[in-house]
Amino acid sequence: LESSLLTQPWASVCFGESAFLAKACFRDTGYILLISNLSSVWYESANAEAVGQRSKELNKRLMVHVSSFLQRLSNLMCPLLAGQLDAATSFSCHLTAGSLSLHVKSDLSGLPFYWDFHCCPAPVEMVCRHLVRPLIRMSLALQYQVQELTSLLFQKDAEIEDYRESGATLSRDRLRTEPFQEETFQQNFMAEVRSSTI
């Protein structure tokens, strides 16, 4: 399950006024949920036996196979992670010092359906595997991309300057550009980033 979770993208979700990043993977054998508010990371991994036991405690009137519960949970969580909210389903979370509970209320076969995800702090290795390492890899890739684009802009400026020195002129003056100034660009970019995070 956790190997499959690695291939799932993070999604932005809101419960009340609280924003989180979350990802989940559901199978007939169980599920795993990973959720973070960028200050802490929590997770829950439950096998079919645990799901069956909890479903009996929360949904005494529902007599369906565990696989049906897991399929229903998947059908509720996947639209949430895709940004498609269902008016017939409600989500709420309760955050304590050491855990996070996600409460789900919906219906199944015409009867009320309840589920509680009981998430505990994720191990450091899990956080590194799902959050830290992918972010570092993406950051390095973006830095490399910026370096390549900066080099390309300098080459384009040199090419344009060569055309000008050869007597070439623009047919439309609105296409004229100023030479690329890397330091000015970096300063403006960082100023925009700071203002957008305030």
Side-chain angles (χ1 to χ4, degrees), residues 97-166:
S99 64
L100 179 143
S101 297
L102 177 59
H103 310 288
V104 186
K105 181 180 179 181
S106 185
D107 64 80
L108 178 62
S109 302
L111 293 172
F113 174 83
Y114 303 98
W115 191 258
D116 291 339
F117 292 96
H118 300 304
C119 302
C120 61
V124 173
E125 175 57 29
M126 178 182 278
V127 175
C128 289
R129 190 161 51 247
H130 290 272
L131 198 59
V132 178
R133 290 175 196 158
L135 285 173
I136 290 175
R137 283 196 294 265
M138 181 57 68
S139 177
L140 292 172
L142 289 173
Q143 288 177 28
Y144 175 76
Q145 187 179 53
V146 167
Q147 291 170 358
E148 290 292 300
L149 291 172
T150 298
S151 176
L152 184 60
L153 283 171
F154 283 134
Q155 291 177 40
K156 288 292 184 183
D157 281 346
E159 182 180 349
I160 291 170
E161 185 60 27
D162 185 65
Y163 286 141
R164 286 176 179 164
E165 290 176 355
S166 300

Side-chain angles (χ1 to χ4, degrees), residues 11-30:
S12 179
V13 296
C14 288
F15 304 118
E17 297 183 355
S18 302
F20 295 89
L21 291 175
K23 54 167 35 181
C25 182
F26 293 88
R27 295 285 186 271
D28 289 340
T29 55

